[in-house]
Amino acid sequence: MVALGCDQGGYELKLEIVKYLEEKGIEYKDCGTYSPDSVDYPVYARAVVKEILSGSCDKGILICGTGIGISITANRYKGIRAALCSDCFSAEATRQHNDANILAMGGRVVGPGLAVKIVDTFLNTPFSGAERHARRIHMIDNEE
Ligand code: RB5
């Protein structure tokens, strides 16, 4: 299950992502926002984080104007690894190396065609499982 969240800067792009998920038959939970009206992105970042940390969803997609504010917020939470991506190479690498559980994008940065390819790459790339990557991921949340 994929959790979706956005502010007004990501609202239009989220609709494109929803279209893609429905075409592919991928289950999702839309945590809002549900209109182009101005809202505060931390609210939607936290809603998606909650879905992941509770185990209800295994991945999330967050979109604001730049993808920056919403990913900064998500990354405040232990266990969350939100990757801001504007290209497919990064989306693939962050799944393989960082086991990223949230993809963040900028609705004012990437066009819908590229965004859908980034989502497709992110959702379909497994974590490599390599010991060095697992060790580094462990180090993100644990100082010693
Ligand atoms: C909202 O105008 C904008 O600041 C927000 O979408 C995002 O880009 C913040 O990082």
Side-chain angles (χ1 to χ4, degrees):
M1 178 85 85
V2 180
L4 303 179
C6 69
D7 72 356
Q8 71 279 8
Y11 177 69
E12 290 297 329
L13 186 54
K14 187 185 69 176
L15 299 182
E16 297 293 330
I17 305 302
V18 163
K19 214 186 297 173
Y20 159 85
L21 295 173
E22 286 182 352
E23 276 167 17
K24 294 281 180 188
I26 299 169
E27 282 194 309
Y28 65 91
K29 177 166 183 187
D30 188 351
C31 301
T33 185
Y34 305 110
S35 86
D37 298 341
S38 181
V39 291
D40 299 323
Y41 58 79
V43 171
Y44 302 93
R46 288 192 183 110
V48 165
V49 163
K50 201 172 139 197
E51 292 299 325
I52 293 173
L53 294 181
S54 71
S56 305
C57 293
D58 56 331
K59 291 205 180 75
I61 299 173
L62 286 172
I63 315 168
C64 65
T66 57
I68 297 173
I70 211 157
S71 58
I72 289 174
T73 311
N75 278 319
R76 292 283 162 111
Y77 294 84
K78 192 169 180 167
I80 293 297
R81 294 175 301 281
L84 174 56
C85 298
S86 303
D87 64 274
C88 294
F89 177 84
S90 300
E92 185 180 44
T94 197
R95 285 290 310 126
Q96 291 172 334
H97 295 197
N98 317 121
D99 197 15
N101 46 16
I102 294 182
L103 168 66
M105 292 186 293
R108 298 174 185 146
V109 180
V110 288
L114 175 58
V116 162
K117 280 195 181 295
I118 291 171
V119 169
D120 190 67
T121 304
F122 185 82
L123 295 181
N124 289 302
T125 304
F127 174 50
S128 78
E131 190 280 331
R132 70 186 187 285
H133 293 313
R135 183 179 70 240
R136 291 162 189 162
I137 290 167
H138 180 78
M139 288 171 73
I140 294 173
D141 284 332
N142 299 277
E143 281 190 36
E144 324 236 337

